[in-house]
Amino acid sequence: MPDTTRRADRLPGNRYGNRPTMKDVAARAGVGLKTVSRVVNGEPGVTPETERRVQEAIDALGFRRNDSARVLRKGRTASIGLVLEDLADPFYGPLSRAVEEVARAHGALLINGSSAEDPDREQELVLALCARRVDGLVVIPAGDDHRYLEPELKAGVATVFVDRPAGRIDADVVVSDNFGGARDGVAHLIAHGHRRIGFIGDMPHIHTAGERLRGYRAAMEDAGIPVEDAWMSLGVTDPVRVRRAAEQMLADPHPVTAIFTGNNRVTVTVIRVLAEHTRGVALVGFDDIELADLLQPGVTVVAQDAAALGRTAAERLFRQLDGTLLAPDRIELPTRLVTRGSGELPPAD
Amino acid sequence: MPDTTRRADRLPGNRYGNRPTMKDVAARAGVGLKTVSRVVNGEPGVTPETERRVQEAIDALGFRRNDSARVLRKGRTASIGLVLEDLADPFYGPLSRAVEEVARAHGALLINGSSAEDPDREQELVLALCARRVDGLVVIPAGDDHRYLEPELKAGVATVFVDRPAGRIDADVVVSDNFGGARDGVAHLIAHGHRRIGFIGDMPHIHTAGERLRGYRAAMEDAGIPVEDAWMSLGVTDPVRVRRAAEQMLADPHPVTAIFTGNNRVTVTVIRVLAEHTRGVALVGFDDIELADLLQPGVTVVAQDAAALGRTAAERLFRQLDGTLLAPDRIELPTRLVTRGSGELPPAD
DNA sequence: TAGAGCCTGGACAACGTTGTCAGATGCGGG
DNA sequence: CCCGCATCTGACAACGTTGTCCAGGCTCTA
């Protein structure tokens, strides 16, 4: 007597919980395996009557094509990976969403992971994505050495770096004009009469932070203002240390009259500090923040367009996949100075 | 003469761009296929010397295990799917991140997609994830009929709904106490002397919106205040219409003295409207918003813990996968009233 | 030194799908 | 009536991996 227990009657839990396969559908519909495949994929060459029978069996069994097997056979996964720093950061949400929309328009799924700004975790994630054979990768790098990606690039994994350039490999990159944006922001403060301007930002070896610092220095130099060490606080992003740094700048015998902040997290903390001060200290921040216009005063920022970064990168990625893109290139998107009040305060002294 | 062109020398683009396989590694190392598999997976039973040779071949060829094939063979993908409304919404970023962290702790990757609040797109996404044979699904539903998931559930795909319950199927669900939170928020306004209180929220058929509306009504009823139609604006979330709704409530001959807003997007818009008004109108919003404490006045909110929602759901998902979880259940997480000023304003008339 | 037992390595099938190719069927024209 | 052609269908191999199982070589003991 043959094994008459139906698959679903056996113990659950092993192997996808025993899903029906095309073979099962074929048996039930009384057709060949390949015919089912044809129906599932909408290929031509199937009589309406046959198609109906197959469709019926599919519905009855609750069949769902196994894309893992499909991928194995076809070689394209129709999925791309996105590695960013932290999805919970309001800067990355729109970026991720923009990448997703472009992927969707190309019929691809997006798999994303957060590196938590840890180079090892970035590599781990990227390689996990490669093991899943994503067709392409959008990477916001945490590390500064991406030679581990060389085999992948050689193997044809499309790759675009965003927000910061790749380290030690030649790859497409889409960045904001961090240098120019910061320079303009600081120049804006200078134009409003400030000369003692503080800078609080992340470690300069992080590309964006370094560029923004360079922009700060350039603006000061253009105006012929020598920068004092006490005005600069580098490698500081956690609220406690930002607070301390800001308070020190303001407590100095010759306090700064304005502060330029290097990213949204720093900006938020500095806003809190300034809110406790009576003396009006001017502020320009890099990155826009929600509700910035409703604060008193409104917060002047150098805004970058996160969605545009994501969209541009994703589009470039798919052009790589199309084959319509040749040499790696560097694309720089402009920033925009949004004046809302805090950057237009005159020096308090 | 045999074909001596190396795989990598052929046209790129077809089949993962021609990656080396275990077979290639085995050939190069002069060992059997299974031995390579053993080394790659850290299985015992390989001499150090053999292992070294294999590892060398792996590095030389840039071999990376193909997880699609692995999945096909093993039946588990070590990945879970998350379907939410919009990653760009600050409420979902932390939620997604929390799910990711739990997944990571269980060695799983997270694939997420945005439904854009469209039931069809939700279904499309969920089914795409199932086709990829994710081990489990965390779903923030957009639609209200999830019977299409029945075959998946039967097939053993672990599933947890978050933020809103599943429609017409029996599944695990983790939600905030929307009813209680809204009731407390409105009661807070009543306790501060308000009787004419407006409500602006989403369509009541959306579960969260419906529950919050119910909470509003309950608080009013508890206080013996009959609710007037003009105080309620339902199904309104886009800024233009929210603004109009708020302005109407305030322009009424008997204007409301306080407004309860049903979600973060509505709250933000209403804050803008109130900022233009001189008369102090009290406000309590559902969902916390960044910088709410720095506005004048600070914005009192009913905060839900997005990260806790995600974490709880993901943990439950993995308990389903472990088999340590049996019957579907409903978990309700408490909300927290955060008083910051706007909800404590006295009635203006 | 023979035999038992262990350790290492490899041949083979299977996972579920799709591409290839050839067989079957039906139809019209010579 | 037969042949050719078009249309539809199915058998089979292959994708890259892992589980099963067996073979061969080694060590250890009696």
Side-chain angles (χ1 to χ4, degrees):
Chain A
M1 197 167 148
D3 179 3
T4 53
T5 56
R6 288 196 49 251
R7 308 182 76 191
D9 295 333
R10 294 184 215 148
L11 267 181
N14 49 341
R15 304 211 50 73
Y16 310 134
N18 299 320
R19 282 174 155 281
T21 72
M22 284 192 178
K23 207 159 135 186
D24 301 326
V25 174
R28 170 154 187 146
V31 301
L33 183 54
K34 180 64 211 210
T35 302
V36 176
S37 170
R38 272 193 271 259
V39 171
V40 170
N41 295 296
E43 290 171 24
V46 181
T47 339
E49 160 61 14
T50 310
E51 173 163 359
R52 195 190 51 74
R53 281 220 316 282
V54 171
Q55 196 57 55
E56 226 170 68
I58 288 177
D59 293 340
L61 296 174
F63 166 80
R64 208 84 73 193
R65 182 179 63 196
N66 185 331
D67 275 359
S68 291
R70 175 170 222 251
V71 156
L72 179 58
R73 194 58 237 261
K74 300 200 72 129
R76 277 280 165 109
T77 57
S79 58
I80 65 173
L82 169 62
V83 177
L84 39 70
E85 191 215 323
D86 181 2
L87 255 184
D89 185 321
F91 178 69
Y92 294 112
L95 193 155
S96 170
R97 183 65 202 281
V99 172
E100 180 185 2
E101 286 305 314
V102 176
R104 180 175 145 85
H106 286 81
L109 263 190
L110 178 65
I111 309 182
N112 49 16
S114 301
S115 68
E117 202 69 82
D118 172 353
D120 292 337
R121 188 157 160 186
E122 172 207 306
Q123 178 170 351
E124 182 193 318
L125 260 172
V126 166
L127 293 185
L129 292 169
C130 288
R132 266 156 227 249
R133 296 297 188 267
V134 292
D135 298 333
L137 277 171
V138 177
V139 181
I140 296 167
D144 49 10
D145 184 354
H146 298 91
R147 280 174 299 175
Y148 68 87
L149 263 172
E150 272 171 0
E152 320 299 333
L153 293 180
K154 213 170 287 172
V157 179
T159 308
V160 179
F161 285 76
V162 186
D163 194 37
R164 311 168 194 170
R168 294 161 152 263
I169 60 170
D170 192 25
D172 260 318
V173 52
V174 179
V175 291
S176 282
D177 180 11
N178 292 290
F179 169 75
R183 192 191 48 200
D184 294 351
V186 174
H188 182 74
L189 288 168
I190 295 172
H192 281 80
H194 296 272
R195 296 187 59 82
R196 308 182 65 82
I197 302 173
F199 177 95
I200 307 180
D202 218 329
M203 322 262 276
H205 74 84
I206 296 178
H207 177 261
T208 47
E211 286 293 290
R212 293 169 196 176
L213 175 60
R214 206 161 64 79
Y216 164 80
R217 286 184 183 286
M220 296 296 267
E221 193 175 331
D222 287 352
I225 306 172
V227 174
E228 293 182 17
D229 283 349
W231 299 349
M232 286 189 306
S233 178
L234 309 179
V236 167
T237 52
D238 74 290
V240 174
R241 297 180 59 203
V242 168
R243 171 171 286 274
R244 199 183 316 143
E247 281 168 351
Q248 264 173 15
M249 287 181 191
L250 297 171
D252 200 89
H254 289 282
V256 299
T257 63
I259 298 181
F260 184 84
T261 49
N263 66 42
N264 54 0
R265 289 186 306 267
V266 174
T267 306
V268 168
T269 305
V270 170
I271 291 171
R272 287 186 207 287
V273 173
L274 295 187
E276 298 159 8
H277 272 251
T278 48
R279 183 161 33 102
V281 175
L283 169 69
V284 173
F286 209 107
D287 288 339
D288 206 352
I289 48 184
E290 207 182 9
L291 297 186
D293 55 326
L294 289 180
L295 297 173
Q296 292 298 338
V299 183
T300 294
V301 298
V302 177
Q304 45 178 340
D305 189 340
L309 280 174
R311 198 179 328 115
T312 308
E315 274 161 5
R316 233 179 137 71
L317 190 79
F318 282 101
R319 282 183 56 205
Q320 282 186 29
L321 288 171
D322 290 351
T324 51
L325 201 56
L326 299 169
D329 198 6
R330 172 197 172 90
I331 297 183
E332 201 168 84
L333 299 185
T335 56
R336 200 163 44 90
L337 184 71
V338 185
T339 57
R340 297 198 180 108
S342 76
E344 295 73 50
L345 295 176
D349 48 47
Chain B
M1 197 169 147
D3 180 4
T4 53
T5 56
R6 289 196 49 251
R7 305 182 79 192
D9 294 333
R10 297 187 213 145
L11 266 182
N14 49 339
R15 305 211 51 73
Y16 311 133
N18 299 321
R19 281 173 158 282
T21 72
M22 284 193 178
K23 206 158 135 188
D24 301 326
V25 175
R28 172 153 186 146
V31 301
L33 184 53
K34 182 64 214 217
T35 302
V36 177
S37 170
R38 273 195 270 262
V39 172
V40 169
N41 294 296
E43 289 171 26
V46 181
T47 341
E49 160 60 13
T50 309
E51 174 162 359
R52 196 192 49 74
R53 282 220 316 282
V54 171
Q55 197 57 59
E56 225 171 71
I58 288 177
D59 293 342
L61 295 173
F63 167 79
R64 208 82 75 193
R65 181 179 62 197
N66 184 333
D67 274 359
S68 291
R70 174 168 222 250
V71 156
L72 181 58
R73 192 60 234 265
K74 301 200 72 129
R76 279 280 165 110
T77 56
S79 57
I80 65 173
L82 169 62
V83 177
L84 39 70
E85 191 215 325
D86 182 0
L87 256 183
D89 184 321
F91 177 69
Y92 294 112
L95 193 155
S96 170
R97 184 65 203 282
V99 172
E100 180 185 3
E101 286 305 314
V102 176
R104 181 175 145 86
H106 286 81
L109 264 190
L110 178 66
I111 309 182
N112 51 15
S114 301
S115 69
E117 202 68 81
D118 171 354
D120 292 337
R121 190 158 158 184
E122 173 209 304
Q123 175 169 352
E124 183 193 318
L125 260 172
V126 166
L127 294 184
L129 293 169
C130 288
R132 267 156 227 248
R133 295 296 188 267
V134 291
D135 298 332
L137 278 172
V138 177
V139 181
I140 296 168
D144 49 10
D145 185 352
H146 298 91
R147 281 174 298 175
Y148 69 87
L149 264 173
E150 271 171 1
E152 320 299 333
L153 294 179
K154 213 169 287 172
V157 178
T159 308
V160 178
F161 285 75
V162 187
D163 194 38
R164 311 168 193 172
R168 293 159 153 266
I169 60 170
D170 192 26
D172 260 318
V173 52
V174 179
V175 292
S176 281
D177 179 12
N178 292 291
F179 170 74
R183 193 191 47 200
D184 293 354
V186 174
H188 182 75
L189 288 168
I190 295 172
H192 280 81
H194 295 272
R195 297 188 58 83
R196 308 182 63 83
I197 302 173
F199 177 96
I200 306 181
D202 219 329
M203 323 263 275
H205 75 83
I206 295 177
H207 177 261
T208 46
E211 285 292 291
R212 293 170 196 174
L213 175 59
R214 207 162 63 79
Y216 164 79
R217 286 184 185 284
M220 296 297 266
E221 194 175 330
D222 287 350
I225 306 173
V227 174
E228 293 182 17
D229 283 351
W231 299 349
M232 287 188 306
S233 177
L234 309 179
V236 167
T237 51
D238 74 288
V240 174
R241 296 180 58 205
V242 168
R243 170 171 287 275
R244 201 183 313 143
E247 281 168 352
Q248 265 172 14
M249 287 180 193
L250 297 171
D252 200 86
H254 290 280
V256 298
T257 62
I259 297 180
F260 184 83
T261 48
N263 67 42
N264 55 359
R265 290 187 303 269
V266 174
T267 306
V268 168
T269 305
V270 171
I271 291 171
R272 287 187 206 285
V273 173
L274 295 187
E276 297 160 7
H277 272 251
T278 48
R279 182 161 34 103
V281 175
L283 171 67
V284 173
F286 209 107
D287 288 341
D288 206 354
I289 49 184
E290 206 180 13
L291 297 186
D293 57 325
L294 289 180
L295 296 174
Q296 290 300 339
V299 183
T300 294
V301 297
V302 177
Q304 45 177 339
D305 189 340
L309 279 174
R311 200 179 325 114
T312 308
E315 276 161 3
R316 231 179 139 68
L317 191 80
F318 282 101
R319 284 186 53 207
Q320 282 185 30
L321 288 171
D322 289 352
T324 52
L325 201 58
L326 299 169
D329 197 5
R330 172 199 172 88
I331 297 182
E332 201 168 85
L333 299 185
T335 56
R336 199 165 43 91
L337 184 71
V338 185
T339 57
R340 296 196 179 108
S342 76
E344 294 74 51
L345 294 177
D349 46 49

